[in-house]
Amino acid sequence: MGSETEKRSEDRHGCDAGVDWAYFNKADFYRAHLLNVSPSGGYFECEQRIIPGATIFIRLHHGQACVGDPTIGDCMRSTALGEVKWCRELPDQQPRPYGVGIRYHMPV
């Protein structure tokens, strides 16, 4: 069995922040935990399975910030639209049993 190919074009910065997410143009928001970010995307864990390919809206909880690397401000967004690239089940991981990789839609 081969290893997965790394597809990231930018370094990720560790993060520890609460976010809410919703399918684009839907009213229902769900809580998640953002664990890393880059200028082009991020990774969070949540309670729901999210459909790969879906566009989602993500907003950082008020007063939250990712700290550590001084360049993280360049990639931390308070709100963003992104495409779900993948959603994987995290066996025995509670209370957030799904890991989600997203790629931000770039602003125009």
Side-chain angles (χ1 to χ4, degrees), residues 52-68:
T55 296
I56 61 172
F57 176 75
I58 303 157
R59 66 181 177 206
L60 192 63
H61 288 172
H62 182 70
Q64 293 280 303
C66 291
V67 295

Side-chain angles (χ1 to χ4, degrees), residues 12-79:
R12 293 286 173 110
H13 303 276
C15 188
D16 184 13
V19 295
D20 292 323
W21 73 269
Y23 286 107
F24 183 63
N25 281 343
K26 299 293 181 185
D28 296 329
F29 277 87
Y30 305 94
R31 292 196 172 266
H33 201 79
L34 187 65
L35 296 172
N36 69 51
V37 294
S38 77
S40 62
Y43 169 78
F44 65 83
E45 293 178 354
C46 62
E47 295 178 25
Q48 300 77 17
R49 181 182 304 269
I50 305 177
I51 302 165
T55 296
I56 61 172
F57 176 75
I58 303 157
R59 66 181 177 206
L60 192 63
H61 288 172
H62 182 70
Q64 293 280 303
C66 291
V67 295
D69 186 333
T71 63
I72 202 162
D74 296 336
C75 36
M76 192 63 199
R77 299 179 182 195
S78 59
T79 61

